[in-house]
């Protein structure tokens, strides 16, 4: 049994080393771990050589054991010191790794030279390795290098987090198991006559060590470990069942079965287990085809679906890819739709995906006559497609948020640039104004007119690009509007104001004045030289009780409308376009008037819009929300006309 265990350990070590080298590529830590596996395989083979009578060969191989912890130390340094965080101490140790290898080779050569190992006869007269007195320091050096390697791992466990920390913890657990198994190796060297039974489990040490290292790096090893544990559990079940059969078969009268040796029962059962494992996959595929005819689902198909759907950049592209993939798989045309609710589709073979508060879901319509295989394919694909919808939804939301952030950043930069340019333009304008004093009156008047226009544009740019710091105070609305009308150059334009004297707004008076100046100036610009030109400004208060209880403080909505009977606004300028910067049909206008109005109203948490359903050709409606104590009742308005 000991010889078989050592042979199994050697074979496992070779296979593990080859597999690690195949998967390691340029990962130095896995290459070092492969070297450790090779050395362990060679070391175990040395015990087999001793058992077969090749004492000199076996002793020389076993005396090379210092190379095993050296490879493990190399692996530990690379594993702990990998990643973004580098440690100066580990960098120095990594540079000293060639010296550790050189020292280990020197220890091995010196051990061979002085005869640091020997052989004794075991219970069955076979040879087993022992250290001589001169070889004690070979063992001490091996132990010290192993302790240094585990010290590096301990340092890494303290410094790292996440999967690497868990991997190091797993290595410590496996290291304790390996120490328990390897301890029996030195029993004969210290005169202890116990047979090294723990070494029979030595193959498990190497496999567990490698699994603890690579389980978070190479995910495919987890599937292998899952199958291996399943096999181990089934073997234990078989052994337990055989033990029960051996005990009770004789008492039940099954003497022939009781006379069969237990090892034969175990062998027959193991063969049956191997045969079952070999025919499981073919039988599973055959049964799936019988139960789900027409279905051809496997890992390759699912991976292709997933990778293709992830490439979609928008909803139409995702739907197009989804319809192509599913239609190609079942060889029938399938329609895929997106909806906010679960609505029944009349189309044959339709997949509807909809979003709810809990996530994305799907419904299949028109699949009643489809085969079970086609229905299974549709269910699997629909589940995968729903997941892809959720991923694309989050991706688009993140992209929109990033675009909004960049747009806001661009607007801030543009506002700063506009403010700087506006300030700089004031200086040349002042110089032009002073130089115009010596020009003829007609020319001077023309220059002054253009300078006023330029100054207005500069002022609008400063207002639009600057920050809005509101100074809120109670402002009488009627008095504010009347003062603006008194200063405006209305000419023959008739105006009417219908605003109650007691109506006060909680607003920034200066900013609100700018709003009415811009609206009135815009109206006057279009009403000039028009017969029967009229301007009408009215305000009304709508009271809405926010809590359903009559209290002094209520939520109020003040609606202000500015009407004029000038030419109607063109359809191309209606909607949000009307309030965008530099969108105007006004001669000599800056294109910033309504944009400034919109910005000031937004700062007051209000709204402004162009109303088309009034009795006037042009109506702008402002809505301001605020709290006012003891509001006056509706209908108590005072009219002034001119």
């Amino acid at each position: 049994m000991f010889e078989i265990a050592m042979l199994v350990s050697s074979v496992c070590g070779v296979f593990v080393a080859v597999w690690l080298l195949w998967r390691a590529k340029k990962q130095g830590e896995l290459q070092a771990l492969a070297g450790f596996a090779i050395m362990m395989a060679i070391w175990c083979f040395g015990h087999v050589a001793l058992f077969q009578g090749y004492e000199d060969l076996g002793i020389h191989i076993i005396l090379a054991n210092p190379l095993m912890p050296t490879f493990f130390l190399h692996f530990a340094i690379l594993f702990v010191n990998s990643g973004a965080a580098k440690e100066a101490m580990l960098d120095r140790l990594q540079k000293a790794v060639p010296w550790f290898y050189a020292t280990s080779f020197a220890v091995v050569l010196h051990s061979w030279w002085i005869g640091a190992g020997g052989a004794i006869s075991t219970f069955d007269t076979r040879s087993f390795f022992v250290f001589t007195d001169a070889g004690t320091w070979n063992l001490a050096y091996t132990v010290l290098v192993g302790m240094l390697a585990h010290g590096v791992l301990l340092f890494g466990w303290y410094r790292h987090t996440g999967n690497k920390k868990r991997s190091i913890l797993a290595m410590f657990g496996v290291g304790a198991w390996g120490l328990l198994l390897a301890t029996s190796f030195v029993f004969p060297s210290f005169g202890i006559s116990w047979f090294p039974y723990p070494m029979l489990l030595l193959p498990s040490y190497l496999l567990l060590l490698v699994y603890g290292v690579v389980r978070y790096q190479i995910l495919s090893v987890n599937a292998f470990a899952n199958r291996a544990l399943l096999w181990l559990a089934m073997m234990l079940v078989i052994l337990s069942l055989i033990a029960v059969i051996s005990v009770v078969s004789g008492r039940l009268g099954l003497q022939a079965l009781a006379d069969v040796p237990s090892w034969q029962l175990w062998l027959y059962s193991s063969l049956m287990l191997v045969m079952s494992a070999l025919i499981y996959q073919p039988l599973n595929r055959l049964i799936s085809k019988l139960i789900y005819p027409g279905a051809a689902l496997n890992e390759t198909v699912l991976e292709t679906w997933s990778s293709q759907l992830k490439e979609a950049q928008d909803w139409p592209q995702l739907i197009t890819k989804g319809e192509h993939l599913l239609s190609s798989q079942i060889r029938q045309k399938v329609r895929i739709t997106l909806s906010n609710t679960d609505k029944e589709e009349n189309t044959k073979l339709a997949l509807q995906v909809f979003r709810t508060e809990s996530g994305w879901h799907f419904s299949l319509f028109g699949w009643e006559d489809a085969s079970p295989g086609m229905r299974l394919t549709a269910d699997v694909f629909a589940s995968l497609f729903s997941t892809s919808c959720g991923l694309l939804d989050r991706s688009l939301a993140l992209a929109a948020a990033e675009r909004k952030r960049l747009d806001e950043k661009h607007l801030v930069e543009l506002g700063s640039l506009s403010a700087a340019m506006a300030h700089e333009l004031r200086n040349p304008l002042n110089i032009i104004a002073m130089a115009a004093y010596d020009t003829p009156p007609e020319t001077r008047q023309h220059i002054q007119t253009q300078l006023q226009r330029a100054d207005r544009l500069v002022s609008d740019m400063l207002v639009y690009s600057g920050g809005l710091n509101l100074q809120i105070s109670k402002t009488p609305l009627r008095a504010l509007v009347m003062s603006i009308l008194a200063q405006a150059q209305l000419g023959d334009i008739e105006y009417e104001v219908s605003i109650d004297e007691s109506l006060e707004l909680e607003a920034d008076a200066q900013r609100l004045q700018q709003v009415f100046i811009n609206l009135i100036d815009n109206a006057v610009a279009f009403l000039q030289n028009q017969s029967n030109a009229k301007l009408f400004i009215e305000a009304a208060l709508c009271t809405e009780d926010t809590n359903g209880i009559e209290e002094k403080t209520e939520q109020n909505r003040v609606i202000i409308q500015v009407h004029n009977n000038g030419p109607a606004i063109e359809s191309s300028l209606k909607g949000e376009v009307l309030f965008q910067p530099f969108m105007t049909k006004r001669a000599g206008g800056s294109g910033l008037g309504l944009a400034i109005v919109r910005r000031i109203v937004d700062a007051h948490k209000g709204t402004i819009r162009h109303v088309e359903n009034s009795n006037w050709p042009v109506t702008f409606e402002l809505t301001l929300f605020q709290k006012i104590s003891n509001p006056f009742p509706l209908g108590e308005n005072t009219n002034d006309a001119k």
Side-chain angles (χ1 to χ4, degrees):
M1 292 296 294
F2 182 84
E3 190 174 2
I4 292 174
M6 293 298 100
L7 279 174
V8 171
S9 297
S10 296
V11 173
C12 287
V14 171
F15 277 109
V16 166
V18 172
W19 182 79
L20 283 174
L21 291 174
W22 173 59
R23 298 303 299 263
K25 298 180 181 178
K26 295 183 179 180
Q27 293 178 269
E29 65 270 20
L30 294 186
Q31 293 175 353
L33 188 61
F36 172 77
I38 285 290
M39 285 307 305
M40 188 170 183
I42 295 173
W43 185 80
C44 291
F45 181 76
H47 289 279
V48 176
L50 276 175
F51 263 57
Q52 294 297 324
Y54 301 98
E55 291 188 359
D56 290 339
L57 176 63
I59 291 172
H60 280 76
I61 290 176
I62 296 174
L63 283 176
N65 64 332
L67 292 174
M68 272 196 301
T70 305
F71 275 104
F72 190 76
L73 174 62
H74 188 190
F75 155 74
I77 294 172
L78 294 177
F79 185 79
V80 173
N81 205 32
S82 62
K86 298 286 187 178
E87 298 291 339
M89 179 187 70
L90 294 180
D91 286 338
R92 290 192 293 270
L93 275 177
Q94 187 170 343
K95 294 178 180 178
V97 164
W99 292 102
F100 281 107
Y101 280 113
T103 304
S104 298
F105 275 113
V107 170
V108 172
L109 293 175
H110 187 262
S111 299
W112 291 348
W113 178 263
I114 64 174
I120 62 171
S121 298
T122 56
F123 298 105
D124 60 354
T125 69
R126 296 192 181 188
S127 299
F128 192 83
F129 177 84
V130 292
F131 283 104
T132 63
D133 293 338
T136 306
W137 69 282
N138 179 296
L139 179 62
Y141 175 81
T142 303
V143 172
L144 286 176
V145 175
M147 290 176 62
L148 179 59
H150 285 80
V152 171
L153 291 178
L154 181 62
F155 177 77
W157 179 84
Y158 175 75
R159 299 290 294 179
H160 287 288
T161 59
N163 287 339
K164 182 159 288 190
K165 189 182 186 78
R166 287 187 282 270
S167 293
I168 294 174
L169 183 63
M171 279 185 256
F172 268 103
V174 175
W177 174 248
L179 179 64
L180 178 64
L181 300 182
T183 301
S184 59
F185 158 67
V186 297
F187 285 171
S189 300
F190 289 97
I192 301 175
S193 60
W194 295 347
F195 190 84
Y197 289 107
M199 290 186 69
L200 300 179
L201 299 176
L202 199 59
S204 65
Y205 166 65
L206 183 60
L207 295 177
L208 290 175
L209 177 63
V210 174
Y211 177 62
V213 173
V214 303
R215 65 170 302 187
Y216 296 110
Q217 296 177 327
I218 305 175
L219 297 180
S220 60
V221 76
N222 293 291
F224 172 78
N226 182 61
R227 291 192 294 268
L229 289 176
L230 179 62
W231 271 70
L232 180 61
M234 294 180 69
M235 294 295 291
L236 292 176
V237 170
I238 290 175
L239 289 175
S240 301
L241 184 60
I242 291 173
V244 173
I245 292 175
S246 300
V247 172
V248 303
S249 57
R251 299 181 180 181
L252 295 177
L254 303 175
Q255 191 60 40
L257 182 60
D259 293 338
V260 177
S262 298
W263 68 270
Q264 292 185 10
L265 291 175
W266 182 83
L267 179 60
Y268 298 151
S269 301
S270 300
L271 291 176
M272 291 297 296
L273 182 61
V274 171
M275 291 298 299
S276 300
L278 292 176
I279 66 175
Y280 171 76
Q281 290 294 342
L283 284 178
N284 184 43
R285 288 193 292 268
L286 177 61
I287 293 173
S288 297
K289 289 182 179 180
L290 293 176
I291 301 299
Y292 299 107
L297 296 178
N298 50 52
E299 293 182 1
T300 303
V301 173
L302 295 178
E303 185 176 353
T304 302
W305 285 352
S306 180
S307 60
Q308 291 286 326
L309 293 176
K310 286 180 180 178
E311 294 177 357
Q313 301 296 322
D314 51 37
W315 296 112
Q317 189 176 5
L318 180 64
I319 293 175
T320 302
K321 285 182 176 291
E323 290 178 345
H324 173 71
L325 290 173
L326 185 54
S327 300
S328 301
Q329 186 67 23
I330 66 173
R331 295 182 177 85
Q332 291 195 36
K333 181 65 177 178
V334 180
R335 175 180 170 82
I336 298 179
T337 58
L338 298 179
S339 175
N340 293 327
T341 58
D342 184 8
K343 296 180 181 179
E344 186 171 353
E345 289 277 348
N346 296 324
T347 309
K348 184 180 180 181
L349 299 184
L351 166 60
Q352 184 182 90
V353 184
F354 54 93
R355 179 172 55 184
T356 64
E357 294 181 356
S358 60
W360 286 85
H361 305 277
F362 68 89
S363 295
L364 297 174
F365 300 101
W367 295 80
E368 292 79 8
D369 296 331
S371 65
M374 291 174 59
R375 182 58 187 258
L376 175 64
T377 302
D379 281 330
V380 174
F381 181 84
S383 178
L384 184 60
F385 191 83
S386 300
T387 303
S388 299
C389 286
L391 295 175
L392 180 60
D393 193 17
R394 288 189 290 272
S395 176
L396 293 177
L398 290 174
E402 180 64 14
R403 286 195 301 270
K404 182 178 179 181
R405 185 188 68 82
L406 293 176
D407 289 343
E408 290 176 350
K409 180 181 178 181
H410 178 68
L411 287 176
V412 171
E413 294 173 350
L414 184 60
S416 301
L417 178 61
S418 300
M421 289 180 62
H423 281 293
E424 291 298 324
L425 284 173
R426 283 277 169 81
N427 293 328
L429 290 177
N430 290 333
I431 295 174
I432 294 173
M434 290 186 293
Y437 284 128
D438 297 333
T439 60
E442 184 179 351
T443 304
R444 184 169 62 250
Q445 179 63 34
H446 180 68
I447 292 175
Q448 291 296 333
T449 301
Q450 297 303 317
L451 286 175
Q452 290 175 2
R453 178 185 175 188
D455 186 70
R456 177 64 182 273
L457 178 60
V458 170
S459 299
D460 287 347
M461 288 180 65
L462 287 174
V463 172
Y464 185 74
S465 61
L468 290 180
N469 297 320
L470 301 181
Q471 304 294 328
I472 303 298
S473 62
K474 287 188 176 182
T475 304
L477 180 59
R478 178 181 173 78
L480 179 68
V481 173
M482 294 302 295
S483 65
I484 296 171
L485 289 171
Q487 299 176 15
Q489 298 177 358
L490 299 178
D492 296 332
I493 300 173
E494 296 181 8
Y495 69 85
E496 183 179 352
V497 178
S498 178
I499 302 176
D500 193 274
E501 292 279 1
S502 60
L503 180 56
E504 293 182 342
L505 296 179
E506 292 182 353
D508 187 316
Q510 184 178 358
R511 299 295 186 184
L512 197 59
Q513 183 182 32
Q514 184 70 41
V515 169
F516 284 106
I517 288 174
N518 287 2
L519 291 176
I520 292 172
D521 283 353
N522 271 353
V524 170
F526 288 101
L527 290 173
Q528 285 179 346
N529 302 323
Q530 177 177 313
S531 60
N532 299 322
K534 294 181 181 180
L535 176 66
F536 179 46
I537 302 174
E538 62 177 337
L541 180 66
C542 296
T543 304
E544 298 176 357
D545 191 352
T546 56
N547 51 19
I549 302 175
E550 294 184 359
E551 296 181 354
K552 291 184 178 181
T553 302
E554 298 173 328
Q555 182 72 29
N556 296 277
R557 191 159 48 97
V558 179
I559 299 178
I560 306 167
Q561 291 185 332
V562 180
H563 312 278
N564 71 79
N565 62 348
I569 296 176
E570 296 180 7
S571 58
S572 61
L573 294 178
K574 291 179 181 179
E576 293 296 320
V577 178
L578 186 61
F579 298 95
Q580 292 180 1
F582 309 112
M583 300 298 293
T584 182
K585 292 293 184 178
R586 172 184 169 185
S590 67
L592 291 173
L594 290 179
I596 292 172
V597 170
R598 173 69 172 271
R599 195 155 178 238
I600 295 174
V601 172
D602 287 344
H604 283 83
K605 309 299 181 184
T607 60
I608 182 171
R609 64 190 182 106
H610 171 251
V611 179
E612 298 186 70
N613 56 359
S614 66
N615 296 325
W616 294 79
V618 179
T619 298
F620 286 96
E621 182 180 275
L622 291 80
T623 303
L624 298 176
F625 300 89
Q626 55 190 345
K627 292 181 180 180
I628 302 177
S629 299
N630 295 324
F632 62 87
L634 288 174
E636 297 181 4
N637 291 339
T638 302
N639 292 340
D640 281 342
K642 179 181 178 181

